Amino acid sequence: MKKNRYQQTSMLLIIVAILLFGISIFIFMNKDDGKKDYAPIDADPGVIKIDDGGKKSSSSGSKVSLKYKNKVVVDTKEKKLELFYENTSNSNQNVVLEIMASNPDDQDTEFMISKSGFIPVGYGIYELSLLDAIELNMKEYSGRMVVKYYDEKTGEIASVDTNIPILIEVE
């Protein structure tokens, strides 16, 4: 009888220890350390003021408006990307672009080939630098332009991103 009770107590302690360990791992993995994602401090040096005739958004909520082309041309010799992206005056969100290319052998695997600084409302960007150590061997890649939105006043990241399918041509 004592032996059976000892086994039950031991099993109960083991189960409690496993549960506490699992809860600790969960808390550690989901810990909010107070760090939030903010837009870079400086605008991308390649941004150009656009004349889109739009009025500055006065809405208090988040509003985005953009123009883009879904083709990016990469000049491997100059290590530059040519693209067309405008963050029009109707928006009230600054943006950061990430250009992602799909691995031709595994379309589910992507790699970043370029990233902008922030693009203010009313500005466009038409050229970005290729990231260091990026080797593009094919003539075409499928990819996506990730548009990350940041509050114009606080610089804090918005909870929604836009993913635009693109064709990446390599020259």
Side-chain angles (χ1 to χ4, degrees):
M1 190 88 161
K2 256 186 171 180
K3 187 177 183 181
N4 194 15
R5 179 165 270 216
Y6 175 75
Q7 287 176 338
Q8 288 175 345
T9 303
S10 296
M11 279 303 262
L12 182 63
L13 288 173
I14 290 171
I15 291 171
V16 168
I18 291 171
L19 283 172
L20 288 174
F21 181 73
I23 290 170
S24 298
I25 295 290
F26 178 79
I27 290 171
F28 179 75
M29 297 300 285
N30 293 299
K31 180 176 84 168
D32 179 12
D33 58 5
K35 293 181 183 176
K36 295 184 179 179
D37 188 4
Y38 289 91
I41 295 170
D42 297 322
D44 192 283
V47 296
I48 297 171
K49 181 80 172 142
I50 58 176
D51 182 16
D52 60 3
K55 291 184 179 178
K56 186 93 167 116
S57 176
S58 61
S59 85
S60 59
S62 296
K63 183 178 178 186
V64 296
S65 177
L66 55 110
K67 289 182 182 177
Y68 67 90
K69 291 185 180 175
N70 61 354
K71 181 173 142 183
V72 172
V73 178
V74 177
D75 181 339
T76 55
K77 289 179 184 158
E78 295 292 322
K79 298 282 192 184
K80 300 278 184 199
L81 283 79
E82 293 177 20
L83 70 154
F84 180 91
Y85 181 89
E86 293 181 346
N87 189 17
T88 69
S89 299
N90 293 328
S91 182
N92 66 4
Q93 301 284 302
N94 294 326
V95 300
V96 171
L97 300 180
E98 294 177 354
I99 308 300
M100 308 295 292
S102 294
N103 183 335
D105 299 325
D106 178 8
Q107 291 293 314
D108 292 332
T109 305
E110 294 181 308
F111 54 99
M112 186 183 307
I113 63 171
S114 189
K115 183 175 182 176
S116 74
F118 87 81
I119 304 163
V121 172
Y123 284 78
I125 195 155
Y126 311 100
E127 185 177 275
L128 289 172
S129 295
L130 192 62
L131 292 176
D132 291 337
I134 296 295
E135 296 284 331
L136 299 172
N137 303 316
M138 309 279 291
K139 286 287 184 192
E140 288 186 352
Y141 290 81
S142 60
R144 64 189 174 106
M145 185 183 312
V146 179
V147 184
K148 294 188 171 195
Y149 300 101
Y150 293 86
D151 184 272
E152 188 178 27
K153 290 181 177 72
T154 67
E156 191 173 336
I157 193 165
S159 59
V160 177
D161 295 336
T162 299
N163 291 281
I164 301 168
I166 59 172
L167 173 67
I168 301 168
E169 287 187 0
V170 180
E171 295 180 344

